[in-house]
Amino acid sequence: MAGMGTGGGRIGWDELPGHVRQAVERIIGDRVVGAVSQPGGYSPGTADRVRTAGGRRAFVKAVSPAQNPDTPRMHRAEARHTAAMPLSAPTPRLLGCHDDGEWVALVLTDVDGRHPYTPWRDAELDLTLRTLETLAGTLTPNPVPDTPTAAERLAHDFGGWRRIVADPPPRLDPWVTGHLDELCAAADRGLTGLTGDTLCHLDVRADNLLIGPDGTVTVVDWPWACRGPAWLDTALLLVNVRLHGGHDTEALLRRLPLTAGADPAALTGFYAGLAGFFTDSARRPPPPNIPTVRAFQQAQADALLPWLRHRLSRPQNAG
């Protein structure tokens, strides 16, 4: 699972090897004459909106192991997932992919839009939540063959509390210290509750969303896609909403159709697993060329823990 946030340096279109730029131009069918690097996300590779001599536009993301050893694998996964999306899904279309064994370049439709404002504004949040509900319906049953399950994707991540038990950090929230057994058990329940046949994004946050001039919301960046419950991406978005403040995420969880019908213990367990992942990961050295991810993971842990404490204190994790 990704770090879920912004930051980190990235290379630009002009820094790509010539043969990669030429391969991209062959996919688009025209010569690129302009490129604008896009903010947000964690990939240290390119993320450019490009324009060709004939006025065509595309979005290009390219990377090699020299920038980060894991990102080429993620780009290959994203190409596979995006290529299989139904046309009705509010996602970019894959125009083509260059993969020479070192450099991986994805060429996608250029989506006219901007990231939502944060703290989240009511109208944009409502639009996004409705889009996620529609997306879950469109992507059920899962349209991408051989996709890992959410439980498979998150099995290691949700072991964060057990890693903290085995190797406690020097500074740990006192409430966490006194409830580690309960947190481990809740994360285990959360993992077993991730059942379903919906294709889930698994990294929904403001900088993986684009709001168009017509009010449509497009969900971008799909390397972590998995099969899971229809409520998963909505529950994930509420972590981002809570991080930025200004909304009652517990009330939203109860009101929204997808999460209101979910097992409350499964939701609590899901948030317990995420909080363990963020708390454990935040203390690690940063990955190569992604220097800010750990601070963002710590911020998400800090945002989640009070909510998790509240939910665990209620009888039988009542919804």
Side-chain angles (χ1 to χ4, degrees):
M1 187 166 52
M4 299 183 181
T6 59
R10 76 166 28 125
I11 60 173
W13 167 259
D14 291 337
E15 296 171 86
L16 292 175
H19 76 278
V20 177
R21 295 198 302 269
Q22 291 166 10
V24 168
E25 290 174 333
R26 283 194 296 272
I27 292 170
I28 302 174
D30 198 3
R31 179 171 56 90
V32 171
V33 296
V36 179
S37 183
Q38 300 303 294
Y42 272 113
S43 172
T46 66
D48 287 293
R49 301 177 79 168
V50 302
R51 176 177 51 84
T52 72
R56 299 180 186 175
R57 295 182 179 275
F59 179 72
V60 179
K61 51 197 304 185
V63 75
S64 78
Q67 287 77 53
N68 181 276
D70 297 321
T71 308
R73 172 180 53 81
M74 293 166 57
H75 275 27
R76 292 183 181 107
E78 181 174 0
R80 185 172 64 253
H81 300 150
T82 307
M85 292 287 183
L87 292 177
S88 57
T91 63
R93 306 272 78 79
L94 181 71
L95 302 177
C97 179
H98 165 79
D99 187 347
D100 58 26
E102 180 182 8
W103 283 93
V104 182
L106 276 62
V107 185
L108 302 149
T109 50
D110 182 30
V111 177
D112 183 13
R114 58 165 176 81
H115 299 308
Y117 293 112
T118 51
W120 281 82
R121 297 180 179 179
D122 290 345
E124 293 184 358
L125 180 57
D126 288 344
L127 279 173
T128 302
L129 290 168
R130 288 200 300 271
T131 298
L132 292 180
E133 187 177 354
T134 301
L135 183 67
T138 303
L139 299 182
T140 307
N142 164 44
V144 182
D146 304 319
T147 314
T149 66
E152 290 168 339
R153 279 266 194 241
L154 295 173
H156 177 268
D157 295 346
F158 276 30
W161 292 123
R162 297 194 186 281
R163 290 188 289 276
I164 286 170
V165 169
D167 179 23
R171 290 182 298 277
L172 193 60
D173 183 287
W175 178 82
V176 169
T177 302
H179 291 80
L180 280 171
D181 289 345
E182 185 179 8
L183 289 166
C184 289
D188 289 346
R189 288 195 302 274
L191 201 62
T192 60
L194 294 174
T195 56
D197 193 31
T198 299
L199 184 70
C200 304
H201 183 280
L202 199 60
D203 201 12
V204 178
R205 59 181 196 249
D207 66 310
N208 280 336
L209 300 162
L210 293 172
I211 299 180
D214 59 354
T216 57
V217 179
T218 304
V219 185
V220 303
D221 292 342
W222 285 82
W224 303 104
C226 62
R227 287 184 289 120
W231 51 258
L232 191 152
D233 284 337
T234 295
L236 262 176
L237 180 71
L238 294 185
V239 176
N240 190 253
V241 172
R242 187 170 186 89
L243 172 72
H244 292 292
H247 295 270
D248 185 341
T249 51
E250 182 66 24
L252 285 167
L253 202 68
R254 291 165 171 262
R255 175 175 63 83
L256 298 171
L258 291 178
T259 52
D263 176 7
L267 285 168
T268 302
F270 176 63
Y271 289 132
L274 286 180
F277 164 67
F278 291 135
T279 302
D280 177 54
S281 297
R283 62 186 177 145
R284 310 289 176 182
N289 294 317
I290 312 178
T292 61
V293 65
R294 300 309 187 201
F296 191 77
Q297 288 168 333
Q298 185 61 59
Q300 290 178 106
D302 293 342
L304 261 179
L305 281 172
W307 191 14
L308 180 59
R309 179 176 182 174
H310 167 72
R311 289 189 64 84
L312 284 172
S313 69
R314 296 159 63 187
Q316 300 179 346
N317 294 334

